[in-house]
């Protein structure tokens, strides 16, 4: 797998043992934290810098990080928490795994700075259970940081104390939803909470909590070291910075590519070596499996940033780009995705619990030559009745792939229903 | 109740120390994982012990063990192989990998070989799609960029363990 280094996230990759604390320090690591503590930089100044950077949440929602941080009641006298969401289970996404593997200290420094800014005394990093070697690596990195005085009481001789702990998941996609993740840290089933109250007022253990994605927090040291303006200028207005795009599927070189926000999709595809075996591009899911699919020709006109992909009718999401060539049957692709949401629905809300299974069964029968003429209207209706009617976004995430497929590839579904077989004859899958 | 070894208890204590003193329940996911590594699966007796150790109601522990799919709530073979078949892996040939495993082991997804050596299960996204196709061996070891030769070599290696 290929990793394209960049200035913000994979900035130690060219050095030997890029994951080590000493390597990170030699590349300017922990200097932002040192400066903040030595000069007692006020939280307002840090939040203003993050706002200037136009850093938007890298976990999928794209919410402005500086604004999110400003919601935290910093003066609240009791315990407060910063939580990192490294529960990376959105099909197509595998960037946080490599961030933690190759640059764990960027995340740790980012979390310490966040803890300082938000008045948190502790942080938890929730790591996807399936990437066990990464969890163990993060445990080592946290120990390394603690031994060097970056974590614990009176960090670097200041009066700021903060500690950081890793918590692992164990196989539940829903825990990537932030309130399900909090429930999971509390030792419960990962079922999302009603909002409001939002985590900023009632979060982990009922205390004010801010939750950010791994890549978001790992971008903070660069912003504080080099300035929010410089980060912004790496990308484009309203879409600051570089971003790691995980490219999977039918490309010659799958991998993680740290490139400026706003890079044309065509350039990213070229970096990834183009389509495998000289085949033609058919379709792209541009932001993880929950993002509506887009036909290749629409993607070729897009740039990789939140605004461009949204304008084309999909989402940049987590930056997980699933590339499909001309041999893919879209009915079969949707059948597998629908099964995923059915399998991972937590069962709390009726529209999602019943609707995901219903959608899967309908797509399954279409794929297996038993589709009925009325099935596509039925899918439209079921998807429309899940979206927006559940506690968390998993309902929408299950509906959007169905809606995207029916919007752009309805003819393939109709063909399946009418002829009881696939329109795509070459059929790699 | 089924006791855990001193080594396992020491590991659980280390996890408990990560959380506020009045939040021992936060260590339940780790405690169940550690118990499973020792016992191979989570019997009611083992879960009851974890509940007692953490000061939780047994039902709260069962809820966690049944909600997260990496816990084995039934006995499994010595080697549990979990193959991701989600879309990015499927695009890269996960179905062929799964078929090869089913054929060589003579079992379907959700089954265990008669000699209790292997259990085969279908997994969901493991967050490593750039390395597709892939599988997990007993939850904690990932095998990436699978092909038929690698599958054959892996089965040979595990058979002799």
């Amino acid at each position: 797998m290929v990793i394209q280094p960049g200035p913000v996230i994979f900035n130690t990759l060219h050095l030997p043992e890029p994951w080590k604390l000493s390597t990170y320090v030699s590349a300017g690591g922990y200097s932002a934290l040192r400066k903040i503590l030595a000069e007692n930089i006020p939280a307002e100044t840090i939040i203003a810098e993050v706002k200037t950077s136009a850093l938007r949440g890298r976990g999928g929602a794209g919410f402005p990080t500086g604004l999110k941080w400003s919601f935290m009641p910093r003066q609240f006298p009791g315990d407060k928490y910063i939580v990192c969401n490294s529960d990376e289970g959105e099909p197509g996404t595998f960037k946080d795994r490599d961030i933690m593997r190759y640059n764990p200290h960027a995340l740790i420094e980012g979390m310490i700075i966040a803890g300082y800014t938000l008045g948190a005394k502790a942080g938890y990093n929730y790591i996807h259970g399936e990437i066990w070697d990464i969890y163990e690596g993060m445990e080592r990195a946290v120990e390394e940081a603690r031994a060097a005085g970056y974590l614990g009481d009176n960090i670097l001789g200041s009066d700021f104390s903060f500690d950081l702990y890793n918590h692992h998941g164990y196989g539940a996609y829903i825990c990537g939803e932030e309130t399900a993740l909090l429930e999971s840290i509390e030792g419960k089933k990962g079922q999302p909470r009603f909002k409001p109250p939002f985590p900023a007022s009632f979060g982990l253990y009922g205390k004010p909590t801010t939750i950010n994605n791994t890549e978001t927090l790992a971008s903070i040291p660069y912003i504080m070291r080099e300035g929010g303006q410089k980060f912004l200028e790496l990308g484009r207005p309203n879409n600051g910075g570089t971003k790691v795009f995980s490219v999977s599927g039918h490309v010659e070189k799958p991998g993680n590519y740290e490139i400026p926000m706003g890079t044309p999709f065509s350039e990213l595809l070229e970096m990834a070596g183009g389509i495998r075996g000289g085949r033609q591009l058919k379709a792209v899911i541009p932001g993880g499996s929950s993002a509506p699919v887009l036909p290749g020709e629409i993607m070729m006109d897009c740039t990789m940033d939140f605004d461009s992909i949204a304008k084309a009718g999909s989402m940049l999401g987590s930056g997980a780009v699933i590339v499909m060539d001309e041999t893919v049957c879209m009915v079969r692709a949707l059948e597998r995705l629908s099964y995923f949401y059915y399998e991972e629905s937590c069962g709390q809300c009726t529209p999602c619990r019943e609707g995901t299974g219903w959608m899967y069964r309908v797509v399954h029968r279409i794929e297996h030559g038993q589709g009925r003429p009325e099935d596509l209207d039925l899918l439209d209706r079921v998807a429309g009745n899940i979206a927006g009617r559940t506690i968390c976004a998993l309902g929408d995430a299950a509906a959007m792939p169905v809606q995207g497929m029916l919007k752009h590839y309805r003819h393939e579904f109709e063909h399946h229903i009418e002829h009881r077989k696939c329109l795509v004859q070459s059929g790699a899958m | 109740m089924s006791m855990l070894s001193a080594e396992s208890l020491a590991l659980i204590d280390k996890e408990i120390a990560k959380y506020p003193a009045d939040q021992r329940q936060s260590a339940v996911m780790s405690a169940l994982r550690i118990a499973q590594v020792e016992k191979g699966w989570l019997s009611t007796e083992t879960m009851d012990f974890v509940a007692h150790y953490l000061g939780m109601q047994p039902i709260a522990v069962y809820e966690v063990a049944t909600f997260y799919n990496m816990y084995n709530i039934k006995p499994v073979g010595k080697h549990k192989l979990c193959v991701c078949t989600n879309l990015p892996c499927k695009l890269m040939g996960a179905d062929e990998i799964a078929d090869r495993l089913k054929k060589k082991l003579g079992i379907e997804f959700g089954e265990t070989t008669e000699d209790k050596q292997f259990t085969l299960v279908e997994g969901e996204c493991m967050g490593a799609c750039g390395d597709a196709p892939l599988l997990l061996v007993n939850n904690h070891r990932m095998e990436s960029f699978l092909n038929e030769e690698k599958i054959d070599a892996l089965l040979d290696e595990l058979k002799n363990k």
Side-chain angles (χ1 to χ4, degrees), chain A residues 113 119 143-144 175 225 237 362 386 389 402:
Chain A
I113 293 172
E143 276 310 315
E144 214 185 359
C175 290
R225 196 167 63 230
V362 173
I386 300 173
R389 290 182 165 82
V402 173

Side-chain angles (χ1 to χ4, degrees), chain B:
Chain B
M1 272 193 293
S2 145
M3 259 303 277
L4 293 175
S5 68
E7 291 77 20
S8 291
L9 293 182
L11 288 172
I12 293 173
D13 289 344
K14 223 179 121 189
E15 295 298 325
I16 292 171
K18 290 179 173 179
Y19 308 97
D22 59 347
Q23 301 289 347
R24 288 170 73 88
Q25 178 169 350
S26 283
V28 68
M29 291 183 71
S30 286
L32 288 174
R33 186 247 314 156
I34 292 161
Q36 180 166 295
V37 168
E38 182 184 323
K39 304 274 188 190
W41 70 291
L42 299 172
S43 64
T44 306
E45 291 73 27
T46 301
M47 291 190 280
D48 288 349
F49 176 79
V50 168
H52 175 75
Y53 197 76
L54 295 176
M56 293 170 66
Q57 290 298 322
I59 183 69
V61 175
Y62 308 158
E63 280 188 348
V64 169
T66 53
F67 188 84
Y68 299 91
N69 66 26
M70 290 166 75
Y71 295 115
N72 306 328
I73 48 173
K74 286 185 300 193
V76 293
K78 190 172 170 193
H79 310 290
K80 182 179 77 170
L81 306 179
C82 180
V83 188
C84 176
T85 60
N86 208 310
L87 183 59
C89 276
K90 203 179 195 55
L91 293 172
M92 300 302 279
D95 289 344
E96 288 72 29
I97 296 300
D99 286 345
R100 180 85 177 172
L101 282 163
K102 288 175 188 171
K103 198 172 148 215
K104 288 209 73 165
L105 296 173
I107 52 175
E108 293 295 313
F109 278 140
E111 294 179 355
T112 298
T113 54
E114 262 180 36
D115 63 4
K116 306 275 187 271
Q117 286 295 299
F118 292 97
T119 297
L120 189 61
V121 291
E122 184 172 27
E124 288 301 343
C125 186
M126 295 164 189
C129 322
D131 297 352
L134 47 89
L135 61 75
L136 290 182
V137 183
N138 287 341
N139 289 340
H140 294 167
R141 168 180 166 190
M142 188 178 283
E143 291 292 320
S144 306
F145 303 110
L146 293 173
N147 54 36
E148 293 200 345
E149 295 75 50
K150 280 193 175 182
I151 289 292
D152 295 352
L154 176 69
L155 292 183
D156 284 342
E157 180 213 316
L158 295 176
K159 261 180 213 156
N160 297 321
K161 265 194 175 171

Side-chain angles (χ1 to χ4, degrees), chain A residues 38-75:
Chain A
E39 298 174 14
N40 244 324
I41 295 178
E44 296 76 20
T45 309
I46 297 172
I47 291 176
E49 202 64 43
V50 176
K51 282 185 176 168
T52 301
S53 76
L55 171 64
R56 293 172 62 174
R58 302 300 199 226
F63 194 80
T65 306
L67 188 60
K68 192 185 232 185
W69 283 15
S70 72
F71 295 154
M72 190 78 161
R74 302 195 305 278
Q75 305 311 324

